[in-house]
Amino acid sequence: MSPGNLSSNPRLVKEADALQEAGYDVTVIACDYTGALKAFDDEIAGDAPWTVIRLPRRRSERYLNAIARPAARALSAARLPVPIPVAANAYGGPSASLTAAAAAVHADLYIAHYVPALPAAAAAARRHRATLGFDAEDFHSGEGTDSPATSLQTELVMRIERACLPRCAYITASSPLIAEAYAKRYGVAPTTVLNVFPKTMAASIEAVAPPRQNDGLTAYWFSQTIGLDRGLQSFIQAMARSRAHVTLDIRGSNRWGHGDRLVEMGRQLGVAERIRLLPMAPPGEMVKLASPYDIGLSLETDVSENRRLCLTNKVFTYLLAGVPTMMSDTPAQRALAPQLGAAAALVSLSDPDAMARTLDELASSPQALAGAKATALELGRRRYNWDVEKGILVDAVTAALDRAAGGSRCRH
């Protein structure tokens, strides 16, 4: 279950594929809210070996969210407990729709992705005397900043997680540090399942011409939405200071105009002609689209605790594509970098001059760059892929259901 579109949550799709392949009968409940993703969702749903229930946006849900938020704020100010249904609707998203849809599906295990799905899955598990699971792709109570606007949101997340997570038969987390954070906050024991991709995506890579022909470096960054808090400004400053001719392709939705602002920044620094904005593409194409580049960027910032702890799918997409990664030195990426060796360059976003020197070193040594690419390719094929990680997931699910069959299911 997920409050997002199918194509906005590739982790859910991989999970469903793995469990269906392992012999389970899988139903996915996801939302159908973002029109720009509909064609991608249609393609995933059309090819899926599992059942798909797609929930349309309901106007009444927005009203419910709008009513619940001041109620939750008033209860919080009075230091009174916020009921879980109120907390879920105050948090926002389609919790009510997910709750109704899940209740109509009889299952042995309900797996929630993201906060709005967690109380919905918990309610369905109670209703059908089934088992509850949760996938923590992010450290959700650590997603906010210290602003008053996000403090209530954080409180709502913790209220929901405190009520639901101890009832989970298993929890998976997308990075070791996110798993540690959940364990410390709630006394649970998550299993780490990295946000990697199937080796078949690498097998589909064909000979693709480089994005530009030059004597420097081609850099690549992608996401669903282009943002101004993803470290790209520091990289553009490094491009301007580098002796090498470095180009940057940015792929994602420019709906908020952030891509245009980055290009304008490049114009002020004299490198605008080397920055290109590319449209969104299907999730299944991400490895192939990354493969022609010299380096991939995973420049997470420290805007939130979650960003410091997360390992995004960018890093593992690049590895599977045979592309070395330039990573910002967040705690999670700093812990991963030694395992990647030559396939990772760890940089500080506060030091564009040092970033420029790293770019110059790569550009001046074709042998070093070729070695970094070879290391990335080997790591992607051998270790950092879904063929490895899906076994961890399936084992966790199987163990949870085995324990439930042994008499623990009545607790849920």
Side-chain angles (χ1 to χ4, degrees), residues 276-298:
R276 184 168 60 170
L277 304 182
L278 302 177
M280 296 175 64
E285 295 291 306
M286 287 300 106
V287 174
K288 179 179 179 180
L289 292 171
S291 63
Y293 293 87
D294 293 321
I295 54 172
L297 306 181
S298 180

Side-chain angles (χ1 to χ4, degrees), residues 376-393:
L377 193 66
E378 194 272 336
L379 287 169
R381 301 302 195 275
R382 175 178 57 81
R383 169 62 186 92
Y384 296 104
N385 61 73
W386 188 241
D387 301 64
V388 173
E389 293 294 295
K390 70 180 178 182
I392 301 172
L393 167 69

Side-chain angles (χ1 to χ4, degrees), residues 221-235 262 297-301 303 307 310 312 314 328 349:
W221 180 93
F222 72 93
S223 188
Q224 290 182 43
T225 303
I226 300 171
L228 297 178
D229 59 349
R230 309 308 295 272
L232 292 172
Q233 295 95 320
S234 294
F235 186 81
L262 292 170
L297 306 181
S298 180
L299 304 175
E300 296 304 316
T301 64
V303 294
R307 288 283 182 86
C310 73
T312 67
K314 292 180 184 62
S328 54
L349 297 181

Side-chain angles (χ1 to χ4, degrees), residues 252-265:
S253 170
N254 190 29
R255 61 182 298 190
W256 306 114
H258 293 155
D260 297 327
R261 291 177 63 180
L262 292 170
V263 172
E264 175 57 29
M265 177 185 177

Side-chain angles (χ1 to χ4, degrees), residues 253-410:
S253 170
N254 190 29
R255 61 182 298 190
W256 306 114
H258 293 155
D260 297 327
R261 291 177 63 180
L262 292 170
V263 172
E264 175 57 29
M265 177 185 177
R267 183 172 293 110
Q268 294 173 8
L269 295 172
V271 295
E273 76 284 353
R274 294 192 251 151
I275 302 172
R276 184 168 60 170
L277 304 182
L278 302 177
M280 296 175 64
E285 295 291 306
M286 287 300 106
V287 174
K288 179 179 179 180
L289 292 171
S291 63
Y293 293 87
D294 293 321
I295 54 172
L297 306 181
S298 180
L299 304 175
E300 296 304 316
T301 64
D302 62 355
V303 294
S304 69
E305 187 176 6
N306 177 60
R307 288 283 182 86
R308 292 189 286 272
L309 304 181
C310 73
L311 292 175
T312 67
N313 60 18
K314 292 180 184 62
V315 175
F316 304 114
T317 298
Y318 301 142
L319 292 177
L320 205 54
V323 177
T325 309
M326 177 174 280
M327 304 190 304
S328 54
D329 60 348
T330 60
Q333 296 192 145
R334 190 161 57 242
L336 177 66
Q339 302 173 45
L340 304 187
L346 200 65
V347 297
S348 170
L349 297 181
S350 64
D351 193 350
D353 287 326
M355 293 174 69
R357 289 193 294 272
T358 299
L359 294 171
D360 288 337
E361 289 171 5
L362 284 172
S364 65
S365 178
Q367 283 188 327
L369 182 58
K373 290 184 175 183
T375 299
L377 193 66
E378 194 272 336
L379 287 169
R381 301 302 195 275
R382 175 178 57 81
R383 169 62 186 92
Y384 296 104
N385 61 73
W386 188 241
D387 301 64
V388 173
E389 293 294 295
K390 70 180 178 182
I392 301 172
L393 167 69
V394 172
D395 287 348
V397 169
T398 300
L401 289 172
D402 285 347
R403 289 193 299 270
S408 62
R409 184 176 299 185
C410 62

